[in-house]
Amino acid sequence: EETQVKSIYTYRQDYPEANRIMNFNIYKAPILGLEVFSRNLEFSYDGKSYKFPMNYSKNLIDFYNDYPQGEIQIFFNAGISRYAKESLDRNLDSLVSTMGEEQAANFLLSFVQNAFDYQTDNEQFGYEKFFFPEEIFHYAYADCEDRSVFYSYLINEYLRLPVAGLNYPGHIATAVRFTENIPGSYYLIDNERYVICDPTYINAPVGAC
């Protein structure tokens, strides 16, 4: 017999034996079912228009909808379903493989800046919601955190370069450690040069802050 639960209460006091921090990282997307949704992503770069047909896992979206919100690093560390990965590979591999680091990073930056409409989480959901990388394909809008998480995934996956998340007051962006000497604004992290790449600064190239 089904029961409707109207409210749930958590335990407010410290429990003396509860001394371990829970790890909510999901490094690989769980395989949850075969329901696939599709979406076309369109943008322009260097005077040419692109249209990327994207598949993604509806079951994974449903799972993430009930997943607890946690530190932003959890979302930066996450993977995507094989449906989304296959779609990205089909659209990006042949294009990015012919480009140098800076051009490829700019191409991916333009993709993330322009293929998704912007709204804050408060406008779209009425509360703060960080996206796992795959969720950006499902929802109508994406904010700075969502774009940064997705851009970080793309740079890691297709350029194999380290990415740092930049946590400004009220804003999230990324910075990339290129092997080439790329001009622009940068941060020194562990004495390594990470060049700013801001996926929400629309049409701004690598190095623009």
Side-chain angles (χ1 to χ4, degrees), residues 15 23 25-26 35 61 64 68 70 76 94 102 119 121 128 140 143 153 178 189 192 207 209:
Y15 187 72
N23 185 347
N25 281 294
I26 305 180
E35 192 174 1
I61 299 300
Y64 287 150
F76 272 104
S94 59
E102 183 176 12
Q119 260 191 15
D121 285 337
E128 187 69 37
D143 69 1
Y153 173 83
F178 294 98
I189 304 172
E192 299 279 1
C209 181

Side-chain angles (χ1 to χ4, degrees), residues 48-75:
K48 186 176 178 183
S49 296
Y50 296 87
K51 185 175 183 178
F52 291 168
M54 283 296 311
N55 294 331
Y56 62 92
S57 169
K58 173 59 166 55
N59 306 90
L60 197 54
I61 299 300
D62 291 342
F63 172 72
Y64 287 150
N65 192 49
D66 296 323
Y67 203 78
Q69 283 291 296
E71 298 292 334
I72 188 71
Q73 293 96 315
I74 293 169
F75 302 87

